């Protein structure tokens, strides 16, 4: 096999295999067209307003309220939560500090990989922007670890430093959650038996039609929860095996020579 044919085969293999993997790494921020974005927020974990990825949620509240939303996150995703609080135009007695917290399905507060999740509004500022990018959601983790796991996530937005004279003033909040597919680079062996969503333990033990009433969250990814074993790491492993085989063939073609030298007799 000639070197030119080997290089052509490598190019065809890479062109056919890399394109799907690159497409999978694009942000998944397409809102569903059949559901309207929520215009209110919950006041606790149990009443958190459900939010799809890519939706722009809004809510009107009073300064001092706790605002809650929930959204689904699957293995291999890296969610980013962004919030904007529009402050009242009336004079404020101080500089309020707003904070954005994200909790997983076990209601463990998740650390932000980057982003300003706590900000103090300057005197006279019309709004304050907050952001939190979580770590990549893992399909499985050790019991002692605090890694993000697949399931429902909760967002809490509130003012943590507020003067007494500023309590009760009207504010408007905007929230958006986007997610980026990280892919096989973050894949781990193993997976959860069930995603961490409210009511899953209750519904798994009940088979009656009324069991659906126990589910507090109906959110899930558009293509369903990941099975936990497939990732594009398998694709790159296969590509590596093909390239290794082609490299061996190419090395043999370069080193084997043109056969028996003409000066060597074939007789005895």
């Amino acid at each position: 096999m000639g070197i030119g044919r080997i290089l052509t085969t490598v190019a065809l293999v890479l062109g056919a295999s890399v394109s799907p993997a690159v497409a999978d790494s694009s942000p998944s921020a397409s809102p569903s067209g059949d559901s309207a974005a929520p215009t209110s927020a919950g006041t606790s974990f149990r009443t958190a307003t459900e939010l799809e990825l890519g939706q722009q949620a809004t809510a009107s509240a009073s300064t001092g309220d706790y605002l809650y939303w929930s959204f689904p996150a699957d293995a291999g995703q890296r969610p980013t939560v962004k919030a904007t609080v529009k402050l009242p135009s009336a004079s404020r007695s101080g500089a309020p500090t707003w904070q954005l917290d994200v909790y997983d399905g076990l209601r463990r507060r998740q650390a932000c990989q980057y982003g300003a999740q706590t900000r103090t509004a300057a005197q006279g500022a019309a709004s304050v922007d907050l952001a939190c990018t979580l770590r990549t959601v893992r399909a499985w983790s050790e019991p002692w670890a605090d890694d993000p796991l697949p399931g429902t996530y909760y967002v809490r937005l509130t003012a943590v430093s507020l003067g007494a004279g500023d309590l009760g003033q009207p504010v408007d909040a905007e929230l958006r959650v986007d997610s980026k597919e990280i892919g096989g680079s973050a894949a781990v062996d193993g997976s959860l038996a069930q995603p961490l969503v409210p009511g899953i333990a209750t519904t798994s033990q009940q088979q009656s039609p009324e069991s659906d009433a126990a589910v507090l969250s109906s959110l899930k990814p558009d293509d369903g929860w990941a099975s936990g074993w497939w990732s594009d790491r398998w694709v790159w492993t296969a590509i590596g095996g093909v390239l290794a085989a082609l490299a061996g063939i190419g090395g043999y073609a370069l080193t084997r020579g043109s056969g028996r030298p003409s000066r060597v007799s074939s007789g005895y």
Side-chain angles (χ1 to χ4, degrees), residues 140-196:
W140 177 84
S141 179
E142 294 288 347
W144 48 263
D146 195 28
D147 297 318
L149 297 173
T152 300
Y153 281 73
Y154 300 91
V155 180
R156 183 177 70 183
L157 178 64
T158 188
V160 295
S161 177
L162 200 63
D166 295 329
L167 286 173
Q169 293 192 13
V171 294
D172 293 324
E174 297 179 354
L175 187 91
R176 181 183 178 91
V177 182
D178 294 314
S179 181
K180 181 179 181 181
E181 292 287 347
I182 302 303
S185 60
V188 296
D189 294 331
S191 62
L192 297 179
Q194 295 286 350
L196 302 176

Side-chain angles (χ1 to χ4, degrees), residues 172-244:
D172 293 324
E174 297 179 354
L175 187 91
R176 181 183 178 91
V177 182
D178 294 314
S179 181
K180 181 179 181 181
E181 292 287 347
I182 302 303
S185 60
V188 296
D189 294 331
S191 62
L192 297 179
Q194 295 286 350
L196 302 176
V197 297
I200 191 64
T202 304
T203 57
S204 63
Q205 298 174 5
Q206 296 181 1
Q207 302 298 331
S208 61
E210 292 79 9
S211 61
D212 292 338
V215 179
L216 303 182
S217 175
S218 60
L219 289 175
K220 64 179 181 179
D222 293 337
D223 54 352
W225 296 105
S227 61
W229 66 270
W230 169 257
S231 70
D232 56 8
R233 185 171 58 177
W234 291 92
V235 177
W236 291 106
T237 301
I239 293 176
V242 172
L243 292 179

Side-chain angles (χ1 to χ4, degrees), residues 42-43 60-68 85 87-88 96-99 156-172:
T43 57
S60 297
S62 299
T63 308
D65 291 344
Y66 286 85
L67 305 180
Y68 285 83
V85 181
L87 304 175
T97 299
W98 288 82
Q99 183 166 306
R156 183 177 70 183
L157 178 64
T158 188
V160 295
S161 177
L162 200 63
D166 295 329
L167 286 173
Q169 293 192 13
V171 294
D172 293 324

Side-chain angles (χ1 to χ4, degrees), residues 11-54:
L12 291 175
V13 172
L14 291 178
S17 303
V18 174
S19 298
V22 173
D24 291 341
S25 63
S26 59
S28 57
S30 57
S32 54
D34 56 350
S35 60
T39 56
S40 62
T43 57
S44 66
F45 286 102
R46 292 182 60 87
T47 61
T49 300
E50 296 181 351
L51 178 66
E52 295 286 353
L53 296 178

